[in-house]
Structures are given as structure tokens and as C-alpha cells.
Amino acid sequence: MGQIQKYKDLIGRRVADDQPEELAADLLRAAAVNNGNWTGLWDGVLARLLELPPQARSRIADGLVTQYHGEQAGPIARQNALILLGIVTRDLPPHDRLTAERLALLDTISRQHSFWYGARYENLIEAELAAGRPIAPAVVATVRRAVLHAYQNEDLPRTARKLTEPPLNVGEEWAEEALRETDGVWHQLLAHMATATAAKPSAKWDKRATELAGALGPDRVREAVLRWLALVGRPRTFELDRGRYEPDVNSAYDPYNANALRGLAWLLSLLPPHPDTARALGALVETSLKKVAGLGPRNPKVANAGVNALARIDSEAALAELARLATRVTYRNTARLLDAALETRAVALGLSREEIEELAVPAYGLTEVGRARHRLGEATAVLEVRGTKAVLTWHNASGKPGKAVPATVRRDHAEELKELKAAAKDIDKMLSAQSERLDRQFLADRTWSYAIWRERYLDHPLVGTLARRLLWTVDGTTVGHAEGALRTLADAPVTEGTEVRLWHPVDHTPAEIVAWRDWLERHGVTQPFKQAHREVYLLTDAERATGTYSNRFAAHVLRQHQFHSLAAARGWRNKLRLAVDDEAPPPVRDLPRWGLRAEYWIEGEGGADYSDITDSGTFLRLRTDQVRFYPVDAPENSAHCAGGEYRMWLRDGQDPVEPLPLTQIPPLVLSEVLRDVDLFVGVASIGNDPTWQDGGPGGRFQEYWTSYGFGELNQSAETRRLLLDRLIPRLAIADRCTLEGRFLHVKGDRHTYKIHLGSGNILRTPNDQYLCIVPKANPAAPQAGYLPYEGDRMLAVILSKAMMLADDTRITDPTILSQL
């Protein structure tokens, strides 16, 4: 306070003593004291400065120029001089003082994401505007982004309002494509889009958007907007400077343009419905929720705008996109919006939420289960679902197949070809979404009437490609689909029934499960996910002894961010553990159908000095503890993020609720919850990372890594072992492979290798030396003939390693060769 008053008084004395030039040096000293942050009470110093008569301010400006060129002036002092020069010359006649230097500073600012409003950079802009010079678009973009963080400051927003061109910020490919539209109405439309700052559009906003779209033509607007949205998420056209501890601003959306993206989503919902619109909005939602380092989802507000836009469109395609997104989106707020949108549709149609999801799946032009034929001139296109993909093949007039699209189709049927390719992509996305939805039906414990089930599942053109590869129970009898009909284990056809349920192995004897596995293999049925081979987790003696909790998956070390993503994908609620003095609830899966809540207790693992954290303060790893069950409405537990006892958070006189005995948990619920937790450990454990043989930071995880990477097999690895026992005899390298205990032994020409069936880690002769082979991100399983189910990444890793090591004399990778 004393310092500030000192400089206020100094301004008066210097002017009274006719020493305004000397005041320039005083002001630079003040800037050094406040680190160039002219906010709070320092604002009063600037106000006193602006009260001086023009002649005095002009002489101060001359003094600042002199100080700028002084030998003692460093880069910070020169920047402060430029800013102060802009302040003292405000409203003075234009004068060519340090123009080149000011433009150079503005060029530097143009590469910043934003700036703190206390830096007073708006005065540089005002000086340029006063001189009649346009502001570079990249500078305009920085100013607009800075305004979003300007809080109570008025000067920066006032300057920003003068910067009306361009209507969007440059730097993003989609925005620069939109700015190529030179028509004045287009720019009015884009400017209106940037005003979409609320959660939902107002009637006034909609009215103006409709007027502008009408002036340009709805079809023309839709085509342009869809073209722009296809570019959203691409790398910036020029990168911004990023501080060491700042989020990855170059992968995030420009926040000013993000408002325009919200507006464009709303705008599309005002135009006549079109299938391309639903696709584009669905893609926008997913692109906007992709994770950015240090930030999290790119821009949930844009994702939410996409959901709201889809909810406003009355079309089959929009409903289908909402249903697809509901199975894929894990970000909580957006997922809630999707739930609300589907619930609203369901209520309007007098259906349940589950029914609306079933009815929302389109056929995408398929005229029979998994297949459609389209005649395009002399050629015939066959769109066919094969496993998890839609495949488009071509046949000429004589029926001869060909790989390439016929030239006549490209020339004469371009629009139909475009629709066919789009349908194939839509089918791929929806197949994945429907497979995940069906996988979640086990805990939903639903039943269907036979006729509705056939219509919505078995005979549905798209869902039928999945449903016909699963097992079901019809009036208590297990059936599968083969040779065009539902069949029993003895292959007797089943043509009618009353009630249908999804089959789960926990309800059946081991002998029956094995028999159905043989049936699927005999009929060549590859299931879309593990069902007949699904792991079953029954209560153990140890769990009966502990009574109310399971330690089966305790004492593991997991990669936190990978665990967080897996948990969300499986329907669990989780909060990232930060290295702060705060508490968090455990990961939770609500099971309202059963009146239960499952909890998996965890804690942050950051090392004794908290060195193992991200720049944003998030623990890189977690330690795991118990699995417990509570009534679904029981008060929430919580514990310190870095570890400690979990305690129940009691409010308003609530009584504590004890965990439920595991013997009271239905076997299906116990099995599916523990299967989720086994998945978390199996995928996110540091023990399956081949590069951690040194035990990680300080070697403190060496014992855990060894025990997990080469220890006893978990339930999923045991399932994998049973499958490999049947699979290996069909491999080309069968004579070099044997299964022994928890390892697949592979005899190469250089060494014999042992591949662990749980982690995929490798030991080699002699003396069980560790061999580090890092698998590809998405390894493809070698051709091994029939596989009973899809989706086991570790199986693909193990088989690919086995194929390579069996022929180890042909290995060329220098990293691997150096270890052989």
C-alpha cells in the first residue's frame, strides 16, 4: 500500500517540478516492483497518470522512448516501456514512437495462448488502432482468448469488442476454412455463432440463426457446416507457445472458436434433418471429449452442445446417434445429457429407456441380417458384415467379383457410392457400440418376449449379426444360432417360445459350459465378446473368512490414467487421485437393478517424495485394496487421496451402514463385478509392462513386477490357457510349442522361451534370462484358424511373440537381437 501511494505522490511531484521525462524512469521502477502486473490498487497509479494534461503525458512518452533505448534496459524493461507508452499516449494525437518495436512485441503475443489482463497489453492494441493500422488476426485471437480470463477488468474486453474481424480466430483448420467464405452474410452468420455462450440456445438466438441460414439457403449452409466440422480436431495451422506446466493448448480447442462450434451444432438442429447431420454431430461429440494432456476432455461444452443438437432433431438417424453415443461416452456430464435425451424420447413414445435404445438401432440399408445388395448400373455392390467390420465388395454384370470400385460407378453413381461408404462406416461404429451394450446386459438381467426379441435382436439386420453369435435361453432352454435356425445343444431346432434371457455361465454346470464351447467351435461361431468362455468368479474360502470384503485384487500397482479410462468404460464412477490434501470416494459401480453398490478401494502411489506425479499434480500410479458391496443408497465412503482409512461420510444424522456379507451378493453380480476388477488389474498393472524389469523409479516395484509378471495366473489368464491348449495344435509352429503351467514354451533355433500367459512377459534360456519385447499398440493375432471370441488383446500379444520367437533366426530388430 505504501509503495503504491509513493508512486501516486511521485507523479504529482515530478509534474509540479516540470520533470515528466524523469517520471518515465520512475514508472519503469514501479513496473519492476509489481512485475508488470498493473491490477488492484496499482490501477490507481495508472489512473493518476491518465489525469495528467496531454503535454505532460507526451513528454513522459518521450522519456519512455529514451529509457527503451538506454544501455541498461533489458528485455523486461523494454516490454514495460512499450506498455506504459501505450497507456500514457491514450487519446493523444498519433505519433510514431517505437512502432516497429511495438509490432514486434505484438508478434510475440500472437504466439501466446492468452495473457494475464494485468499485463495491460490492450494498450498496445489501442495504439495500433489509433494509428489506423489493422490488428493481425493472430493477435486478435490471443486477445479474444485472454478476455475469457479477464475477470473484473473492463479495459481488455472493451478493446476486444473493437476487434470484429475476422469473425473466428485463426489457427484452427476448420475456422480458416470457414473464413474463406467472403460473402458478408456468411461473416454475419459466423459472428452470430460465436455468441453461443449459454448452455442452450435462446429463442432469440434461434430466430437470428434461422434468418441468416435462410438468407444463404439451408442446404448450402448444411453442406458448408458439415465440411467445416469434418476438420475439427486437426492439428493447428500454427502452434502456440506452451509453458512447462501448462496444458497442451495446441491439442485443445481455441476457447473462442469453441463457442462458435456450439453455435454451429445448434444451427444444424434448426435445419431440415439429414443423415449426414447426425453423423457429423456424433463425431463432434466424440472429438470434443478426447483427452488432452493437462486438461482432460478437449471441450465438454462443445460435446454437450452436440448432444443437445441431436436431441432437438426429430429423425431416426439422430436417435440412433444418441443411442450409439450413450454406449461410448464416459464423461459424466455428457453421459447424463445423453441419458436425459434418451429418457425424454422414451417417455414421449411411451417406452422404457432400454426399449428406446433397442429401437434406435437403424438397419443402415441392410435388407437381411448382415447383408445388402445394391444395383448401380451394370455393377452390384454387396455390403456385408464380417465379424466387427462392414465390407463393401463389387460384382460386374456377369457376377464376377472385383476389389476396386468400378469406374462407371465412380462416374455415374457418385452420390450412391458416397452413401454406401458412409453406411459402412456407420455400421462399424454401431457394431462396436451394440457389442458393448450387449456385454452390459448381463447385469441388467433383462427378459424379452420371444416375438420382440426376434424382431429387435435375432432378426434385426445389424444387431442380428451379434445376437446370432451369442447364446440365449428360451423358456429355460439354452440355444444358439447355426445353419439358419436356433438350435439346442443337440442341434434340435427351436422355432417358438415365450421368454428369452441372455445366457451367462455362472448359472450352468462346468460340463454344460464345456459342451456349449464345443458346440460353438463345431459350428464355427466366433462370439463378439467372451460369453461361453466368460470368466466366472465364485466365492472363495478366503472371502468367506473375511466375510464382507474381497482381497482377491488387493496389493496391485496400476497406472492411474489407464485404470480411470477402463473404469469409466465399464460403468464405474471414479475420481482421479491428486497429490493434494483432499479426500475422494472409491471407484464405484451402481447396480440399481440389484439395489447394490460395488466399491474398489484404492489410493495414490507417488513415492516417499511425491515424485511420481504428473505436471498437473495427478498420481501416475495407484495401489489397490478391497472390493466391497453396500446397499445402493448407503452413505458414501471416502479416504485421503494419498492413502489412509476409508470412512463413511455421514450427513444430517445418518447412521453408518455396514458392508454386506459377500454370501448375500447374487453370484452373477459378484462374478461380473470381480471380472471388471480383474480387467482393471490385468490391463493397467505395471506388472504386464515389459519395460519395467528394473522395478521402475528407484527399483521400488521390482518385487511386485516380478511376482505379477511371472506369478500365478488370474482367472482371465486361466481362460486364455484353456483356449491355447485347444488352439496350439492348429498353429504352424505347433511342433515348437508346449503349455507347461503358467507359461507357453516356444523352442527357437537360438533359445527356448517361456511366455507368461497372464502378462505376456518372456524368459529365455539359459537361466531364465528376461527378454524385453514391447508389443505393437494393436497387435493382430496370427492366422490360427477358428477363434471362439473376439477382443483378447493379450492373446494376440502372446501368439505374435510365439510366432516370432519360433523363428528367432529371422529376427532383425536390433533391440531384440542385442538380448539374444
Side-chain angles (χ1 to χ4, degrees):
M1 180 70 181
Q3 285 272 32
I4 294 171
Q5 189 59 47
K6 165 189 167 183
Y7 283 105
K8 285 184 178 179
D9 295 341
L10 190 58
I11 290 173
R13 287 203 308 272
R14 288 294 193 191
V15 173
D17 295 340
D18 196 28
Q19 296 177 325
E21 290 85 2
E22 286 76 1
L23 184 55
D26 298 329
L27 291 171
L28 288 175
R29 280 191 285 273
V33 170
N34 64 31
N35 294 315
N37 184 7
W38 297 95
T39 58
L41 296 177
W42 283 102
D43 196 45
V45 176
L46 299 183
R48 181 71 59 86
L49 194 63
L50 291 172
E51 292 171 357
L52 298 177
Q55 185 178 5
R57 286 194 283 140
S58 182
R59 290 175 63 186
I60 295 171
D62 292 337
L64 286 168
V65 173
T66 300
Q67 291 294 323
Y68 183 95
H69 291 299
E71 293 182 1
Q72 302 301 316
I76 295 177
R78 289 194 176 99
Q79 177 171 310
N80 288 333
L82 287 169
I83 293 167
L84 287 165
L85 182 62
I87 294 171
V88 299
T89 58
R90 189 185 300 173
D91 302 326
L92 295 182
H95 192 287
D96 190 19
R97 293 186 181 95
L98 301 179
T99 299
E101 292 80 359
R102 181 168 59 245
L103 289 172
L105 178 55
L106 286 171
D107 183 62
T108 300
I109 293 170
S110 74
R111 294 189 293 275
Q112 297 178 15
H113 180 265
S114 61
F115 54 81
W116 178 242
Y117 70 89
R120 301 288 182 169
Y121 287 154
E122 72 271 10
N123 292 285
L124 304 174
I125 310 292
E126 292 288 354
E128 287 300 296
L129 292 175
R133 286 187 288 268
I135 308 301
V139 177
V140 173
T142 304
V143 172
R144 286 171 171 166
R145 291 190 292 265
V147 167
L148 299 177
H149 310 290
Y151 303 105
Q152 297 178 354
N153 177 266
E154 296 179 0
D155 294 334
L156 182 57
R158 187 184 302 116
T159 298
R161 285 193 290 271
K162 300 177 183 179
L163 307 177
T164 58
E165 289 294 332
L168 299 176
N169 281 356
V170 296
E172 292 183 321
E173 191 170 340
W174 79 265
E176 293 185 6
E177 176 66 21
L179 290 173
R180 292 189 180 95
E181 299 287 355
T182 57
D183 188 298
V185 181
W186 279 110
H187 277 220
Q188 291 179 49
L189 180 68
L190 293 173
H192 184 59
M193 296 299 101
T195 65
T197 56
K200 291 184 178 180
S202 64
K204 181 179 178 181
W205 192 96
D206 278 351
K207 180 180 178 182
R208 179 59 176 159
T210 302
E211 290 172 353
L212 292 168
L216 293 165
D219 290 343
R220 183 183 174 201
V221 169
R222 185 187 65 250
E223 290 172 6
V225 173
L226 295 184
R227 188 174 71 250
W228 303 339
L229 293 186
L231 303 175
V232 172
R234 289 194 179 184
R236 286 183 57 85
T237 56
F238 60 89
E239 289 204 348
L240 299 171
D241 295 336
R242 179 188 177 192
R244 180 179 177 185
Y245 297 109
E246 291 179 353
D248 183 5
V249 295
N250 289 302
S251 296
Y253 289 167
D254 183 302
Y256 184 85
N257 286 350
N259 288 333
L261 285 174
R262 293 164 82 180
L264 291 174
W266 298 345
L267 175 65
L268 285 174
S269 70
L270 298 172
L271 303 178
H274 192 281
D276 288 346
T277 296
R279 294 185 190 115
L281 289 172
L284 179 65
V285 171
E286 292 182 297
T287 302
S288 301
L289 293 178
K290 286 185 177 178
K291 299 290 181 67
V292 172
L295 183 67
R298 264 184 180 143
N299 199 298
K301 291 181 179 179
V302 174
N304 294 348
V307 172
N308 286 330
L310 284 166
R312 297 210 297 174
I313 299 173
D314 185 14
S315 75
E316 179 185 290
L319 179 58
E321 201 62 33
L322 286 170
R324 184 186 72 82
L325 290 170
T327 68
R328 308 305 301 274
V329 168
T330 58
Y331 184 73
R332 190 179 304 175
N333 289 341
T334 307
R336 285 174 179 166
L337 276 180
L338 286 163
D339 287 341
L342 288 171
E343 191 67 35
T344 300
R345 290 288 181 93
V347 170
L349 295 172
L351 302 170
S352 69
R353 164 65 189 276
E354 292 80 7
E355 287 178 306
I356 201 72
E357 286 186 346
E358 292 168 350
L359 293 172
V361 185
Y364 295 115
L366 299 174
T367 53
E368 55 186 295
V369 176
R371 186 178 173 86
R373 294 172 65 87
H374 298 271
R375 185 84 176 189
L376 302 178
E378 293 292 316
T380 300
V382 178
L383 183 59
E384 190 172 25
V385 175
R386 298 178 186 171
T388 60
K389 293 289 184 183
V391 179
L392 192 59
T393 56
W394 298 91
H395 300 261
N396 61 21
S398 61
K400 184 178 179 181
K403 294 182 180 180
V405 179
T408 56
V409 172
R410 293 184 183 277
R411 184 186 67 235
D412 302 332
H413 303 277
E415 196 60 33
E416 294 97 322
L417 176 61
K418 177 184 173 184
E419 278 300 315
L420 277 173
K421 289 183 175 180
K425 290 181 179 179
D426 288 342
I427 289 171
D428 289 349
K429 290 181 181 180
M430 188 57 84
L431 278 171
S432 174
Q434 292 303 309
S435 179
E436 291 180 22
R437 184 176 71 84
L438 283 165
D439 195 19
R440 294 178 186 174
Q441 293 302 308
F442 294 112
L443 281 174
D445 194 36
R446 289 190 63 202
T447 61
W448 297 266
S449 70
Y450 182 80
I452 286 178
W453 171 75
R454 286 207 68 124
E455 176 189 349
R456 299 178 186 174
Y457 286 88
L458 196 71
D459 297 331
H460 187 281
L462 186 139
V463 182
T465 65
L466 302 169
R468 293 185 177 194
R469 295 191 282 143
L470 295 172
L471 299 178
W472 305 83
T473 60
V474 177
D475 298 335
T477 299
T478 304
V479 297
H481 191 274
E483 299 174 13
L486 289 173
R487 299 184 182 278
T488 65
L489 189 60
D491 279 340
V494 175
T495 58
E496 58 184 19
T498 303
E499 184 181 83
V500 181
R501 306 177 77 99
L502 185 61
W503 183 92
H504 192 286
V506 78
D507 302 319
H508 302 272
T509 65
E512 185 181 357
I513 294 169
V514 170
W516 274 107
R517 289 177 181 176
D518 291 339
W519 186 93
L520 291 168
E521 183 174 349
R522 185 168 74 250
H523 290 287
V525 177
T526 296
Q527 298 199 289
F529 47 81
K530 287 184 183 178
Q531 187 191 29
H533 290 77
R534 201 173 188 84
E535 299 82 8
V536 174
Y537 299 79
L538 301 176
L539 208 58
T540 64
D541 291 339
E543 287 161 345
R544 289 189 180 90
T546 55
T548 58
Y549 60 89
S550 169
N551 274 329
R552 200 182 306 195
F553 301 103
H556 287 281
V557 182
L558 311 183
R559 293 177 287 269
Q560 174 166 213
H561 291 84
Q562 192 170 20
F563 165 78
H564 184 69
S565 296
L566 284 168
R570 295 298 300 173
W572 291 67
R573 291 184 285 111
N574 181 52
K575 182 179 180 182
L576 285 171
R577 267 51 180 175
L578 303 177
V580 295
D581 187 14
D582 192 14
E583 293 195 353
V588 165
R589 182 164 185 182
D590 293 317
L591 304 163
R593 161 68 181 81
W594 305 90
L596 298 172
R597 182 181 79 221
E599 296 185 354
Y600 188 27
W601 289 7
I602 60 173
E603 62 183 42
E605 160 57 62
D609 58 354
Y610 276 35
S611 58
D612 292 353
I613 60 174
T614 66
D615 290 342
S616 59
T618 307
F619 285 110
L620 288 171
R621 285 170 283 279
L622 302 168
R623 288 191 182 272
T624 67
D625 202 346
Q626 304 170 3
V627 175
R628 294 188 175 211
F629 291 87
Y630 289 87
V632 71
D633 56 355
E636 194 173 65
N637 287 305
S638 65
H640 196 279
C641 290
E645 181 183 0
Y646 273 91
R647 295 165 299 185
M648 191 162 278
W649 185 260
L650 302 176
R651 301 178 183 178
D652 303 324
Q654 286 179 303
D655 294 325
V657 177
E658 294 300 316
L660 296 169
L662 296 180
T663 53
Q664 294 183 13
I665 308 304
L668 172 65
V669 175
L670 180 71
S671 185
E672 285 299 298
V673 167
L674 293 183
R675 185 176 184 272
D676 277 354
V677 177
D678 195 358
L679 171 71
F680 303 155
V681 172
V683 174
S685 172
I686 63 171
N688 61 27
D689 187 335
T691 64
W692 273 63
Q693 70 268 26
D694 60 355
R700 68 177 188 274
F701 300 113
Q702 181 70 64
E703 183 178 350
Y704 171 75
W705 183 86
T706 302
S707 66
Y708 182 90
F710 299 104
E712 295 301 318
L713 301 182
N714 60 16
Q715 196 68 38
S716 58
E718 288 286 0
T719 301
R720 192 175 298 124
R721 188 187 191 285
L722 291 173
L723 175 58
L724 284 168
D725 193 34
R726 302 171 70 127
L727 190 62
I728 285 172
R730 306 178 196 144
L731 298 177
I733 58 170
D735 60 334
R736 289 177 171 256
C737 296
T738 54
L739 274 174
E740 296 183 23
R742 53 186 183 269
F743 293 95
L744 171 61
H745 291 244
V746 181
K747 183 174 178 14
D749 293 321
R750 297 171 182 264
H751 304 281
T752 297
Y753 308 90
K754 295 160 61 177
I755 307 174
H756 191 261
L757 301 180
S759 66
N761 290 339
I762 307 169
L763 299 174
R764 70 162 178 84
T765 57
N767 305 322
D768 282 348
Q769 296 181 45
Y770 177 67
L771 174 60
C772 178
I773 299 179
V774 180
K776 295 179 180 178
N778 292 296
Q783 292 301 315
Y786 167 77
L787 289 175
Y789 54 82
E790 297 163 349
D792 188 344
R793 180 182 181 276
M794 185 55 70
L795 176 64
V797 168
I798 291 170
L799 288 173
S800 62
K801 287 181 177 181
M803 299 291 278
M804 178 175 62
L805 295 172
D807 197 9
D808 56 2
T809 57
R810 299 184 65 180
I811 293 174
T812 58
D813 187 308
T815 304
I816 300 174
L817 283 175
S818 66
Q819 303 175 72
L820 298 181

